[in-house]
């Protein structure tokens, strides 16, 4: 169990404006199985994805959402969470509901998403870099000339235009609910006025477009029309699937080494606690050792998720 132990570095938590508390900031990436194009940006698919995310915010009110992007074959979320338990519960529910509802839309069964990769971000500067990266997904892949032209469901319309990002969520046999996705202010940008914040987002977007333009011309790639993107077969996949190794954290080099040292320390403590638990199962007279803090305990030790609207 300790081999896949997930931890957080509490020394790198950041103050967040919405709730006025310290949170760990994460970028989460989850890919569609076999890189299939399951998230084709049709109106129905976009409504489902945004509706699930909006409902997740209602059910897990302690989670911040700073940016997100659903490209055809994967998704990115930039979120803040006060604890690993809250983060895990939010992602578990959100990704499960996305899988169930997109599977139903496509008339398929089975797993839809690979195991998510969730990486802690250790500085406000790197958090802004990751927001920029997420905003530029379609532009970097030559699917849009500028983030403002991006038709995929994302936080970009709100960040650039202040436009509401809405989806539709419904339970079985219930009336559909039109819900708005809340885009929270990224740590480090709390003091910006709405006008200055939007100007910063436009600067990021313009830079992304300027960087992509010469690469696109050199590659000789034409931007597909929105109609062409919406007509892709959801069960196809890209010709090439490039993979870059994921860092242990998004932060300066010294934070990478700190994280590795902390992970090794917590992993050893977690193994000791797990062995004590198994010994206790065999002989209840044996002492139990609490699992170390800032690790994700086994599923049976995690509290039930809060009800919708619970603080």
């Amino acid at each position: 169990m300790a081999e896949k132990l997930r931890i957080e570095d509490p020394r790198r938590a950041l103050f967040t404006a919405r709730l006025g508390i310290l949170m760990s900031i994460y970028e989460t990436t989850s890919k569609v199985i076999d890189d299939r194009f399951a998230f084709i940006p049709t109106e129905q698919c976009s409504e489902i994805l945004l509706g699930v995310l909006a409902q997740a915010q209602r059910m897990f009110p302690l989670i911040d959402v700073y940016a997100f992007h659903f490209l055809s074959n994967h998704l990115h979320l930039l979120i803040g969470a006060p604890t690993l338990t809250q983060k895990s519960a939010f992602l578990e529910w959100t990704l499960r509901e996305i899988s169930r509802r997109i599977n139903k839309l496509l008339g398929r069964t089975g797993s839809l998403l690979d195991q998510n990769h969730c990486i802690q971000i250790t500085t406000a500067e790197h958090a802004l870099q990751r927001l920029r990266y997420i905003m530029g997904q379609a532009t970097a892949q030559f699917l849009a000339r500028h983030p403002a032209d991006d038709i995929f469901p994302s936080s970009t319309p709100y960040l650039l235009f202040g436009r509401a990002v809405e989806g539709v969520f419904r339970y079985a046999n219930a009336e559909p609910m039109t819900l708005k996705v809340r885009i929270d202010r990224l740590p480090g940008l709390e003091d910006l006025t709405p006008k200055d914040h939007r100007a910063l987002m436009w600067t990021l977007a313009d830079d992304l477009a300027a960087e992509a333009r010469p690469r696109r011309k050199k590659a000789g790639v034409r931007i597909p029309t929105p109609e062409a993107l919406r007509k892709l077969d959801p069960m196809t996949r890209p010709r090439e699937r490039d993979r870059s190794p994921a860092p242990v954290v998004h932060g300066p080099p010294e934070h990478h080494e700190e994280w590795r040292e902390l992970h090794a320390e917590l992993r050893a403590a977690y193994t000791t606690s797990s062995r004590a638990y198994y010994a206790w199962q065999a002989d209840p007279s044996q002492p139990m050792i609490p699992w170390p803090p800032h690790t994700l305990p086994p599923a049976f030790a995690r509290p039930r998720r809060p009800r919708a609207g619970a603080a």
Side-chain angles (χ1 to χ4, degrees), residues 30 37 52 64 78 91 128 159 178 197 221 229-230 248 256 267-268 282 290 294 300:
S30 190
F37 292 150
V52 168
D64 276 353
L78 185 60
L91 291 177
L128 184 60
L159 295 174
T178 299
H197 184 269
V221 176
L229 289 174
R230 293 187 177 105
V248 292
H256 290 234
R267 177 176 170 176
H294 309 296
F300 62 81

Side-chain angles (χ1 to χ4, degrees), residues 159 185-186 189 192-202:
L159 295 174
R185 185 68 68 92
L186 197 66
L189 306 182
L192 293 180
T193 66
K195 180 179 179 181
D196 290 341
H197 184 269
R198 198 165 300 158
L200 173 61
M201 296 299 110
W202 271 99

Side-chain angles (χ1 to χ4, degrees), residues 15 137 141 192 208 223:
F15 181 84
Q137 285 292 292
Q141 297 195 29
L192 293 180
L208 287 163
I223 299 293

Side-chain angles (χ1 to χ4, degrees), residues 80-244:
T83 67
L84 279 173
T85 300
Q86 287 282 338
K87 185 256 299 185
S88 175
F90 172 82
L91 291 177
E92 179 184 48
W93 188 91
T94 303
L95 299 180
R96 184 186 70 236
E97 289 300 313
I98 286 174
S99 296
R100 288 178 55 201
R101 293 161 193 271
I102 296 299
N103 266 347
K104 183 176 180 181
L105 175 67
L106 300 179
R108 71 181 297 276
T109 59
S111 298
L112 181 74
L113 297 173
D114 283 327
Q115 177 67 43
N116 73 83
H117 294 276
C118 195
I119 301 175
Q120 186 174 354
I121 302 170
T122 60
T123 70
E125 293 75 20
H126 282 82
L128 184 60
Q129 290 177 17
R130 301 317 295 173
L131 183 148
R132 181 183 187 272
Y133 172 79
I134 291 172
M135 183 190 292
Q137 285 292 292
T139 306
Q141 297 195 29
F142 309 146
L143 301 176
R145 287 185 173 83
H146 190 284
D149 304 325
D150 190 344
I151 67 167
F152 291 92
S154 72
S155 51
T156 304
Y158 176 83
L159 295 174
L160 294 183
F161 303 104
R163 189 184 303 154
V165 179
E166 295 180 334
V168 176
F169 186 87
R170 70 177 301 167
Y171 289 107
N173 303 320
E175 289 296 318
M177 301 180 290
T178 299
L179 304 176
K180 185 183 297 184
V181 181
R182 186 192 69 250
I183 314 298
D184 298 306
R185 185 68 68 92
L186 197 66
L189 306 182
E190 300 93 341
D191 296 333
L192 293 180
T193 66
K195 180 179 179 181
D196 290 341
H197 184 269
R198 198 165 300 158
L200 173 61
M201 296 299 110
W202 271 99
T203 298
L204 298 179
D206 291 341
D207 289 346
L208 287 163
E211 291 173 7
R213 192 176 303 115
R215 293 192 300 108
R216 187 175 69 247
K217 290 184 177 180
K218 183 178 180 180
V221 176
R222 298 184 63 180
I223 299 293
T225 65
E227 292 73 21
L229 289 174
R230 293 187 177 105
K231 290 180 180 178
L232 285 172
D233 182 352
M235 289 298 102
T236 57
R237 64 184 79 179
R239 293 180 181 177
E240 299 179 0
R241 291 188 280 179
D242 296 328
R243 293 288 186 268
S244 56

Side-chain angles (χ1 to χ4, degrees), residues 228-280:
L229 289 174
R230 293 187 177 105
K231 290 180 180 178
L232 285 172
D233 182 352
M235 289 298 102
T236 57
R237 64 184 79 179
R239 293 180 181 177
E240 299 179 0
R241 291 188 280 179
D242 296 328
R243 293 288 186 268
S244 56
V248 292
V249 294
H250 291 300
E254 58 269 23
H255 291 185
H256 290 234
E257 189 57 36
E258 288 178 2
W259 188 93
R260 290 188 178 94
E261 292 174 357
L262 179 62
H263 188 273
E265 177 184 334
L266 291 176
R267 177 176 170 176
Y270 192 91
T271 298
T272 299
S273 300
S274 297
R275 287 173 177 169
Y277 171 74
Y278 296 135
W280 171 84

